[in-house]
Amino acid sequence: GTALGATAAETGRYFGAAVAVNKLSDSVYVGILNREFTMVTAENEMKWDATEPNPNQFTYTGGDRLVSHAQANGMRVRGHALAWHQQQPRWTSVLSGSALRSAMINHVTQVATHYRGKIYAWDVVNEAFADGGSGGRRDSNLQRTGDDWIEAAFRAARAADPGAKLCYNDYYTDGQNAKSNGVYAMVQDFKARGVPIDCVGFQSHFTGQSPVPSDHQANLQRFVDLGVEVQITELDIEGSGSSQTDSYSRVVRACLAISRCTGITVSGIRDTDSWRASATPLLFDGNGNKKAAYTSTLNALNAG
Ligand code: G3I
């Protein structure tokens, strides 16, 4: 194939991008989006602070624009993110305990209901595990409502939109380490107890300090072996030249080697659109030209 999404589709996968809805008026940006990508994720517009600025008062303007754009152009949508310790609306900061738990469950229910039938997969819970060696949960206001907050969020999401795949999404979980072991144990426990979970998202923010690990494919495979699908959800790779091109092709090859690795999403379109633009981590330069990393990604998709 000659475009990322169409080529990924040849093996039954998608190739997506995180989209900032206010850039849908930029013709270079939209031209690349429509030509290359078959899945979109809202970079910020479906998050708690954006969708529920006041208690139980919902605004879906940005997310709805993204869904319409996707539907009009034959793309699917990954929903991001229902429950997360960051980008919460200001009003949640005074809540704790059962009041915060109820607000979180109501949020999950309302947003997943609004988008019912339009979402391929939801990041139901994002980044709930601690960095470092503990393998345990991250301390957060949501975690302090009780260890069962994650399964409560997944059950609420399933009830609201039974057709969406429900994912747990996190970063630095790409290789086998304490953090990914913690997530693995949670997924294993959820599967054993019938808590609804369908997929694990691996954000895949790679840097010089944190490159693609040598056991990347093996780590994805052990999650698939638990009975979930895996998705690369926010891929970006700091750097340039051959280290960047090699890393992109390694990630693509790892996903293609696993039948239940269903798709790859990059965290933006041009380097200048990135949440960490100085890392030049994406596939297109600031002018929208294809980088060498684009070519190596497309070649790896074509080799599948
Ligand atoms: O919209 C306001 C604008 O009105 C204001 O003038 C400006 C000044 O700072 O801020 C704008 O909001 C920013 C927003 O992005 C939209 O550009 C926020 O400050 C900024 O914090 C926010 O950053 C987002 C970040 O999540 C927040 O944690 C990034 O765009 C987004 O790419 C990033 O994405 C996360 C994923 O959701 C989860 N995984 C990690 C990833 C990177 O942090």
Side-chain angles (χ1 to χ4, degrees), residues 18 20 22 42-44 47 80-81 84 86-87 126-127 169 171 203 205 234 236 267 273-276:
N22 63 5
E43 189 172 357
N44 290 295
K47 292 172 180 175
H80 174 80
W84 187 24
Q86 285 185 27
Q87 287 180 283
N126 193 41
E127 301 176 5
N169 191 53
Y171 63 88
Q203 293 186 9
H205 297 299
E234 304 179 21
D236 50 27
S267 69
D273 300 315
S274 171
W275 63 290
R276 45 180 191 141

Side-chain angles (χ1 to χ4, degrees), residues 7 23 43 47 70-71 78 134 234 238 244 258 295:
T7 309
K23 290 178 184 158
E43 189 172 357
K47 292 172 180 175
Q71 290 180 339
R78 286 192 87 265
S134 78
E234 304 179 21
E238 178 182 42
Q244 189 175 54
I258 297 173
T295 308

Side-chain angles (χ1 to χ4, degrees), residues 11-36:
T11 66
R13 293 176 176 81
Y14 63 83
F15 205 99
V19 168
V21 170
N22 63 5
K23 290 178 184 158
L24 290 176
S25 54
D26 173 336
S27 61
V28 173
Y29 183 88
V30 174
I32 300 169
L33 174 63
N34 293 355
R35 185 184 75 223
E36 300 287 346

